[in-house]
Amino acid sequence: MSGLLGTGTCSSPGEASDLKFPLGAKLREPLTQARFQQLFGGAEQAQEPLAESRWSGLCGRWRRRARACSGPGAWRLLQARLPPLRWLPEYRWRAWLLGDAVAGVTVGIVHVPQGMAFALLTSVPPVFGLYTSFFPILIYTLLGTGRHLSTGTFAVLSLMTGSAVERLVPEPLGGNLSAIEREQLDAQRVGAAAALAFGSGALMLGMFALQLGVLSTLLSEPVVKALTSGAALHVLVSQLPSLVGLRLPRQIGCFALFKTLAAVLTALPQSSPAELTISALSLALLVPVKELNVRFRDRLPTPIPGEIVMVLLASALCFASSLDTRYDVQIVGLLPGGFPQPLLPNLSELPRILGDSLPIALVTFAVSASLASIYADKYSYTIDANQELLAHGASNLISSLFSCFPNSATLATTSLLVDAGGNTQLAGLFSCAVVLSVLLWLGPFFYYLPKAVLACINISSMRQMFFQMQELPQLWRISRMDFVVWMVTWVSVVALSVDLGLAVGVVFSMMTVVCRTQRVQCVALGLAEGTELYRPLRESHKLLQVPGLCILSYPAPLYFGTRGQFRHHLEGHLGLGRGKETPRTGGPPAAVAEPVRVVVLDCSGVTFADAAGAREVVQLASRCQDAGIHLLLAQCNASVLRTLTQAGLLDRVTPEQLFVSVQDAAAHALERLELTGPKTCTVWL
C-alpha cells in the first residue's frame, strides 16, 4: 500500500504545523511515474512509438489466433461455440434427467397455447406460433449458454412484429375478403414476419462477429422493465376486440393504444355476447390458476397447466355446442400437419424492414441476456454474452427459413422451467417433443378452439410484466434518476409505440449519464490526521491542509462535454480566473489566505480523456506555469497518460511531475514547500 510522508511533525518557516503521520513508516523517496516503470517494468513498452505498439498488439492477436488453430485450441473453440460439448459430459443423469424431463414437458405444454396466441398477436395464422415454439428452442439448446433459459414466442416481440407486419402488409379497405384472398394475405404477412426474423438474426450475427455483446448495457434495467410493462398494456388493449368479439382493423403507429380504445368503445354495442361470455369464463379460470401457481410454487410438484386445460375445455365446449356456426364465434380452424418447406425470405424486403429489425434485435438480446444473467448468478455459473448473440442470431435467422417470426427468451416460461425443476438446456429437447407431437398428430384437436381463449391467454401471460410496477416505490428510494428513466420510457412506450418508446428510453437513459458527468464537482482533499488517507475537505473539519498546497480530485471522464466544467472548477480553486479571485479550497480561512504554490491533481477518477480534454490539461499546465504554480499529476491510468502525452503535456511539465499516487505527489509537494527535508521524507507503505 502506497502512502504518505510520515515523521512526527512537519514545520514551515516561522510556524509549527500539527501534521501527524502514521508511526512505523518506512523511508523511501516519492515515486514518479517514470521511476516506477524503471523499478517495476513497463519502461520499454511505454517508450515505444505508438505505431510500433499497435503493430505489436496486432501481431499478438494474430499469434493467439494462430495458437487457436492447433488441436487443443480448435477443441476449445469448438467447445465455446457448441456449449453441450462442455456440459453434456458432466451431466448428472440420475440427479438431473427427471427434473429436465418434467420441466421440459411442462413448458412444452404451455408453449402450445401461448405459441398460437402470440401468433395472432403477430398477425399470422396460429400454426406459425407452433413453428416458432419448436425450431428456436432446438437451435438455442445447441448454441445457448443459459442453462435455465426458455426461448420461443415472446409477447413484446410479437407485438413489435405485428405492428411492423400490419404496416408492411395492410389489410385491404372493407375487409370482406374471400377465402383465397385471405390465404394470400396471410402468406404475405407470414413472409414479412419471417423477413423480420431473418433481418434481426442477421444483425445479431453481425454483432457477434464484431464482439458487441457489451451493447446489451445500453438497455439498462429501468428501460427494459418499463419497456415490457408498457408493451404489456399494448398487448392488453390490442386483445380487447377479440375478447368482446369485434372485427376491428388493427391500429398501428403513434397513439395506437388510444385509437384502439376509442374504436372498441365506439363499437361496443355490436360485441358478441357469446365471445364475451367465453372470455369472462376463461379469465375467471386462468387468473386464479396463475395466482395459485405463484403462491404455492414451493408446495406444488409441477405448476398447474391452466392454459392447456382451458384450451381443451373451450375446444370441447365449442364443438359440442356448435358455437362457431350458431353464434359466429371465431375459431382457430385447421392446423396443417408437419412442417413448412424451407423458404428463403424475400431479400428485396430487407431494406424496408431494417428499421424494424434493429429494435427487435436489441430487445431480443437485452431481454435474453439479462434473464440469463439473473439465473446464472442465482445458480453460480457464467454465460457468454457474445455466444448468446450467436445463439439468438442463429435461432432467428435459421428459424426464419421455416416461416417463423422473431423469438427470444421468455419471462413466463423461464420462470416456469426453473420452478418445475429444470437444470440444463436438455429440458428444451423435451419441450420440442411436446410441440412436435402437436404438429404431427394432435393438431386436429385444436380445430374448434375459440380465438377469444387465445386472447385471454395473451392477457394472463402479461401478469408478471404488470406487477413490475410494484417495484417503483423501492426504485424511487434507491435512485430517483432511475425512477425518472423508468417513467419516461413507460410513458413513451404507452403514448407513442414500442419502437419509438424504446428509442426514447435509450436516448434519455444515455442523456442522464451525460448529465451526471456534467454535475460532478472538483473537490479539494485534506489529510486525515494520523493516517495516509486523503478525503474531501467538506466531509470533515478535522482534515489537515498545508498552506500553499492544494490537492484536487476530479472524479469524472475528461472529454469535450466536461472540459468547460473542468476549467471552471480549476480556475475557482487556483485563482486562475480573469478576476484572480481568491482560491477556494474548502479549508479553514488561515489556509486559504496563502496563495497556492503547488497543486496536486488526482486523476484516479478520470477514466478516459479525449483530445479536447487532453488539450485542456495542457492549457492548465501552461497557465499554472505562467502563474508560478507547480502542477503535479497523480495516478493517471495508462490510456489517459498516453492521450495527455500525445497532446503535448510533456512540453509543459517534466516526467518528474507525474506520480503514481496522491501520497507520493503530496510528499514531493511538501519537500518543495520546505515543510520537511529529504532525510525526513517518509511514506506509509
Side-chain angles (χ1 to χ4, degrees):
M1 180 175 67
S2 66
L4 182 70
L5 304 174
T7 55
T9 59
C10 295
S11 59
S12 60
E15 61 178 355
S17 172
D18 293 331
L19 292 178
K20 296 180 181 179
F21 302 96
L23 298 177
K26 297 181 181 179
L27 296 175
R28 72 164 171 82
E29 293 294 332
L31 284 176
T32 62
Q33 189 72 34
R35 179 62 176 162
F36 181 86
Q37 291 175 345
Q38 291 176 358
L39 292 175
F40 301 101
E44 294 79 9
Q45 292 84 346
Q47 295 173 359
E48 283 183 344
L50 180 63
E52 186 177 349
S53 300
R54 291 178 177 175
W55 175 253
S56 62
L58 184 62
C59 291
R61 286 194 292 270
W62 278 108
R63 283 194 296 269
R64 288 192 296 271
R65 294 190 178 185
R67 285 195 297 269
C69 294
S70 62
W75 175 245
R76 286 193 298 270
L77 180 63
L78 188 61
Q79 284 182 318
R81 296 296 167 254
L82 289 176
L85 295 178
R86 290 201 311 267
W87 58 263
L88 198 55
E90 302 175 357
Y91 190 83
R92 304 175 187 175
W93 294 95
R94 292 185 178 181
W96 291 351
L97 183 59
L98 181 60
D100 281 341
V102 172
V105 171
T106 303
V107 171
I109 291 173
V110 174
H111 269 308
V112 173
Q114 280 195 359
M116 293 189 291
F118 292 158
L120 296 182
L121 196 60
T122 315
S123 300
V124 297
V127 69
F128 294 94
L130 296 179
Y131 300 151
T132 311
S133 299
F134 177 79
F135 291 104
I137 299 175
L138 188 63
I139 297 170
Y140 185 81
T141 300
L142 299 176
L143 299 177
T145 59
R147 297 182 183 178
H148 299 83
L149 209 63
S150 174
T151 59
T153 56
F154 183 39
V156 175
L157 288 182
S158 297
L159 179 68
M160 297 172 68
T161 305
S163 300
V165 168
E166 292 280 350
R167 190 184 69 255
L168 295 171
V169 189
E171 187 168 346
L173 296 177
N176 295 323
L177 303 178
S178 64
I180 297 178
E181 291 174 335
R182 173 60 62 181
E183 185 176 349
Q184 292 175 348
L185 179 66
D186 288 342
Q188 292 177 354
R189 289 184 168 179
V190 168
L196 286 168
F198 185 91
S200 60
L203 286 173
M204 282 187 281
L205 289 179
M207 293 165 64
F208 163 74
L210 298 174
Q211 299 290 286
L212 296 180
V214 70
L215 287 182
S216 62
T217 57
L218 292 179
L219 294 179
S220 62
E221 183 178 347
V223 171
V224 173
K225 290 189 174 181
L227 173 71
T228 53
S229 297
L233 191 58
H234 274 280
V235 171
L236 171 62
V237 174
S238 68
Q239 297 303 294
L240 289 180
S242 298
L243 287 180
V244 299
L246 294 174
R247 277 71 168 174
L248 297 176
R250 185 168 178 172
Q251 302 291 336
I252 60 176
C254 296
F255 311 109
L257 185 145
F258 306 105
K259 294 177 183 177
T260 303
L261 278 176
V264 170
L265 293 177
T266 303
L268 196 58
Q270 288 80 39
S271 61
S272 170
E275 291 186 287
L276 188 58
T277 303
I278 292 173
S279 300
L281 293 176
S282 300
L283 289 175
L285 174 65
L286 290 173
V287 173
V289 167
K290 285 188 174 291
E291 190 65 27
L292 288 174
N293 285 333
V294 172
R295 294 201 174 192
F296 300 101
R297 66 174 63 185
D298 297 331
R299 302 181 185 179
L300 294 172
T302 59
I304 303 172
E307 289 90 348
I308 198 67
V309 171
M310 189 67 249
V311 164
L312 295 176
L313 289 178
S315 300
L317 178 63
C318 185
F319 171 75
S321 305
S322 301
L323 296 179
D324 56 325
T325 56
R326 294 174 60 184
Y327 299 102
D328 195 25
V329 172
Q330 298 182 78
I331 60 175
V332 169
L334 181 63
L335 294 178
F339 296 101
Q341 292 293 330
L343 180 64
L344 186 67
N346 188 3
L347 299 182
S348 63
E349 294 290 328
L350 289 181
R352 294 179 59 197
I353 58 93
L354 186 61
D356 298 296
S357 298
L358 181 59
I360 289 176
L362 290 177
V363 172
T364 298
F365 177 56
V367 172
S368 302
S370 60
L371 198 58
S373 298
I374 290 173
Y375 287 99
D377 294 340
K378 183 177 180 180
Y379 292 97
S380 302
Y381 62 91
T382 59
I383 64 166
D384 185 347
N386 288 304
Q387 179 66 20
E388 289 295 297
L389 273 174
L390 173 64
H392 291 288
S395 176
N396 277 273
L397 190 142
I398 296 175
S399 63
S400 69
L401 305 180
F402 296 92
S403 303
C404 297
F405 50 85
N407 60 88
S408 73
T410 63
L411 303 175
T413 55
T414 297
S415 177
L416 181 63
L417 179 72
V418 174
D419 293 340
N423 299 289
T424 65
Q425 297 96 315
L426 193 63
L429 297 182
F430 293 97
S431 298
C432 291
V434 174
V435 179
L436 181 63
S437 64
V438 174
L439 287 170
L440 295 181
W441 304 295
L442 303 179
F445 289 96
F446 300 97
Y447 182 92
Y448 290 97
L449 175 62
K451 290 185 178 180
V453 175
L454 297 180
C456 294
I457 292 174
N458 274 331
I459 293 174
S460 63
S461 65
M462 298 293 103
R463 177 184 179 278
Q464 285 180 304
M465 299 183 191
F466 284 127
F467 284 175
Q468 288 179 144
M469 302 186 72
Q470 294 178 343
E471 302 175 6
L472 285 178
Q474 183 183 12
L475 188 62
W476 172 264
R477 292 191 296 270
I478 296 175
S479 172
R480 296 187 179 181
M481 187 62 71
D482 286 343
F483 178 87
V484 173
V485 171
W486 200 104
M487 292 303 302
V488 169
T489 305
W490 188 86
V491 171
S492 301
V493 170
V494 171
L496 301 176
S497 64
V498 177
D499 299 349
L500 291 177
L502 173 63
V504 171
V506 171
V507 172
F508 185 78
S509 178
M510 294 296 101
M511 289 301 298
T512 60
V513 175
V514 175
C515 291
R516 289 178 183 182
T517 62
Q518 296 289 328
R519 296 173 58 186
V520 170
Q521 297 291 326
C522 185
V523 295
L525 305 180
L527 176 66
E529 184 176 358
T531 73
E532 76 285 0
L533 301 177
Y534 281 91
R535 304 295 298 170
L537 290 172
R538 61 190 179 191
E539 291 185 1
S540 174
H541 296 293
K542 297 182 179 180
L543 297 176
L544 303 175
Q545 185 179 4
V546 179
L549 173 62
C550 181
I551 304 177
L552 301 176
S553 175
Y554 188 75
L558 191 53
Y559 64 104
F560 66 93
T562 58
R563 60 176 297 186
Q565 167 192 255
F566 174 79
R567 183 193 313 119
H568 174 74
H569 287 312
L570 266 295
E571 287 178 351
H573 281 287
L574 303 180
L576 297 176
R578 295 179 180 178
K580 295 290 181 181
E581 63 271 19
T582 303
R584 52 178 178 85
T585 60
V592 178
E594 183 174 337
V596 176
R597 296 161 53 195
V598 181
V599 57
V600 176
L601 183 58
D602 177 15
C603 300
S604 60
V606 181
T607 55
F608 71 90
D610 66 355
R615 284 194 293 267
E616 193 64 44
V617 176
V618 174
Q619 292 176 10
L620 170 67
S622 177
R623 297 177 65 186
C624 287
Q625 189 176 23
D626 296 340
I629 299 176
H630 192 61
L631 175 65
L632 306 177
L633 299 181
Q635 212 164 334
C636 294
N637 65 51
S639 63
V640 172
L641 187 58
R642 182 168 55 250
T643 304
L644 295 178
T645 303
Q646 294 170 355
L649 179 65
L650 295 183
D651 297 335
R652 296 290 183 269
V653 301
T654 63
E656 286 71 25
Q657 293 174 249
L658 307 177
F659 290 86
V660 296
S661 69
V662 176
Q663 289 81 3
D664 287 283
H668 177 79
L670 292 177
E671 290 183 25
R672 188 175 184 84
L673 293 173
E674 298 179 352
L675 293 180
T676 181
K679 295 183 179 180
T680 60
C681 176
T682 61
V683 292
W684 180 249
L685 296 177

